[in-house]
Amino acid sequence: VEGGYVVDILIPPNNASSTRDFPLGTVIEVDGPFHFETYRNEPLGPTVSKRRHLELLGYRVVSVPYWTWDIHGLSAGSKEKYLKGLLAT
């Protein structure tokens, strides 16, 4: 993507009015344990910086922290529902 970043998933923009705020599309980042402070689940500086920079470039950034993904079990249907909920907000 622009800025030289590698992202997990890029959803290109469509013609919906919401793309006015995010002209380059939506980035989904699946963040594992090394993106967070131990025992606090607060994102570390490099993760915060990457998110902020991508937003300034014109991307909507949606983070999927590893612990929220794990609580939804192995069901593909529940994971799909969870992702759709994140993207709808």
Side-chain angles (χ1 to χ4, degrees), residues 32-45 66-67:
F34 296 109
H35 290 267
F36 300 95
E37 292 183 30
T38 306
Y39 306 114
R40 291 189 52 203
N41 291 339
E42 294 290 326
L44 295 172
Y66 70 96
W67 67 87

Side-chain angles (χ1 to χ4, degrees), residues 25-88:
T26 299
V27 166
I28 299 175
E29 286 286 283
V30 182
D31 293 328
F34 296 109
H35 290 267
F36 300 95
E37 292 183 30
T38 306
Y39 306 114
R40 291 189 52 203
N41 291 339
E42 294 290 326
L44 295 172
T47 299
V48 172
S49 179
K50 178 180 179 181
R51 292 176 188 172
R52 185 177 303 132
H53 192 215
L54 287 168
E55 288 172 353
L56 289 171
L57 287 170
Y59 294 96
R60 174 182 177 213
V61 179
V62 175
S63 174
V64 180
Y66 70 96
W67 67 87
T68 61
W69 192 252
D70 290 344
I71 65 170
H72 292 280
L74 300 176
S75 164
S78 65
K79 290 180 178 182
E80 181 180 351
K81 183 177 178 181
Y82 174 71
L83 283 176
K84 285 181 178 181
L86 284 177
L87 293 172

